[in-house]
Amino acid sequence: MKKTQILIVDDESNMRNLLRLYLTQNGFDVMEADNGFNALELMDQESFDLIILDLMMPGMDGWEVCSQIRETRQTPILMLTARTETQDRVRGLNIGADDYLVKPFEPEELIARVHALLRRSQLTEAAKEQPKKIKRKEMTIDPESRQVFILDRPVKLTPKEFDLLLFLASRSQKVFSRDMLLDHIWGSDYFGDIRTVDTHVKVIREKLRKAGLSDSPIRTVWGVGYQFQGHEHS
């Protein structure tokens, strides 16, 4: 499996070394650029999943780099800065930065923000395509009417149960962590426990089984999350 690749853009070698250490220890592949010009050249040659971009750099500062990236790409950008002024953060967010991290920072916060941005990016990509109807054996899911049918008979699901089933079904074979499912179905500002996902999956499985579905379409991927198994679009 291809590792997540992150580009660090910072003119300070000590900071690049520190960031590389934290990121590689957490399983990420890392490339580095010591200025904005080199960063833009690297982005023309490589595909990155996330960019950590220092704000104050000579020649081309982080604001200008961010603006140029946003002209052609939607790669998540974590802005890194020693400045704490609110207006600087607002300016960065307005030109396309996805998040801000102020130096000095704890490694745990860096990694948490990186994971959150990557989850958000994956969910955005996954949401781009959604079929009209999804069919799997005895089951049909109709997004337009928000109904699920087993053997042509409707199954009553709550709105959240339907949203969760549809999200997994429309991205068949992809594995989603509980955190990703919480972000997408309940929203990033939801403060509930990840066991909420487990509870909803259990109820969905039981309702589908009672309605006559011969096997559960939602597979538990131990240690990771959940995956929908096999369907046909109509």
Side-chain angles (χ1 to χ4, degrees):
M1 181 181 293
K2 179 181 178 294
K3 285 187 178 181
T4 300
Q5 183 152 276
I6 297 176
L7 175 62
I8 299 171
V9 188
D10 197 308
D11 62 309
E12 297 180 7
S13 60
N14 288 341
M15 180 54 65
R16 294 199 307 274
N17 291 338
L18 191 64
L19 289 166
R20 183 178 66 245
L21 176 64
Y22 294 155
L23 293 167
T24 54
Q25 284 179 339
N26 283 272
F28 298 110
D29 276 347
V30 172
M31 293 189 71
E32 301 174 29
D34 58 6
N35 62 66
F37 300 103
N38 288 345
L40 295 174
E41 288 180 2
L42 275 174
M43 292 196 69
D44 286 335
Q45 302 165 13
E46 300 281 343
S47 176
F48 296 101
D49 299 289
L50 184 139
I51 301 163
I52 298 177
L53 178 61
D54 185 44
L55 178 59
M56 303 305 294
M57 294 185 295
M60 182 187 294
D61 61 30
W63 286 310
E64 178 61 26
V65 177
C66 183
S67 294
Q68 292 205 29
I69 291 172
R70 282 293 173 260
E71 289 179 4
T72 57
R73 298 174 177 86
Q74 293 302 313
T75 309
I77 296 174
L78 175 61
M79 197 77 90
L80 194 63
T81 180
R83 300 165 68 110
T84 58
E85 290 86 348
T86 300
Q87 62 186 23
D88 288 335
R89 301 190 195 192
V90 171
R91 179 182 174 188
L93 295 170
N94 283 340
I95 62 176
D98 296 281
D99 200 0
Y100 244 96
L101 186 59
V102 178
K103 305 174 188 175
F105 53 82
E106 295 296 327
E108 293 83 5
E109 183 180 7
L110 167 72
I111 299 304
R113 289 180 183 271
V114 165
H115 280 302
L117 286 176
L118 290 170
R119 285 200 305 270
R120 192 185 309 167
S121 175
Q122 289 171 330
L123 290 170
T124 299
E125 287 298 313
K128 287 181 178 178
E129 293 185 6
Q130 183 163 295
K132 291 184 177 180
K133 285 187 179 180
I134 299 169
K135 294 183 179 180
R136 180 191 183 274
K137 296 184 178 179
E138 309 100 333
M139 179 173 67
T140 301
I141 304 173
D142 186 349
E144 292 186 4
S145 66
R146 291 182 60 82
Q147 285 189 296
V148 177
F149 299 90
I150 303 295
L151 300 172
D152 296 324
R153 294 189 297 271
V155 180
K156 188 174 182 179
L157 299 179
T158 67
K160 282 289 189 285
E161 289 165 1
F162 180 86
D163 290 341
L164 180 56
L165 179 61
L166 176 62
F167 181 79
L168 289 168
S170 58
R171 294 150 186 91
S172 179
Q173 306 306 321
K174 288 199 67 172
V175 179
F176 291 95
S177 70
R178 292 166 176 83
D179 285 332
M180 291 174 69
L181 294 171
L182 271 178
D183 280 350
H184 182 82
I185 306 301
W186 283 267
S188 58
D189 57 349
Y190 177 74
F191 294 104
D193 194 280
I194 60 171
R195 286 174 294 184
T196 299
V197 176
D198 297 332
T199 301
H200 278 70
V201 168
K202 181 179 179 180
V203 172
I204 293 168
R205 285 170 170 165
E206 183 64 14
K207 286 183 177 181
L208 297 180
R209 184 190 66 79
K210 286 184 176 179
L213 195 62
S214 56
D215 65 323
S216 174
I218 303 177
R219 170 176 168 256
T220 300
V221 181
W222 297 109
V224 183
Y226 294 103
Q227 173 191 49
F228 191 92
Q229 302 180 95
H231 68 263
E232 298 174 358
H233 298 299
S234 66

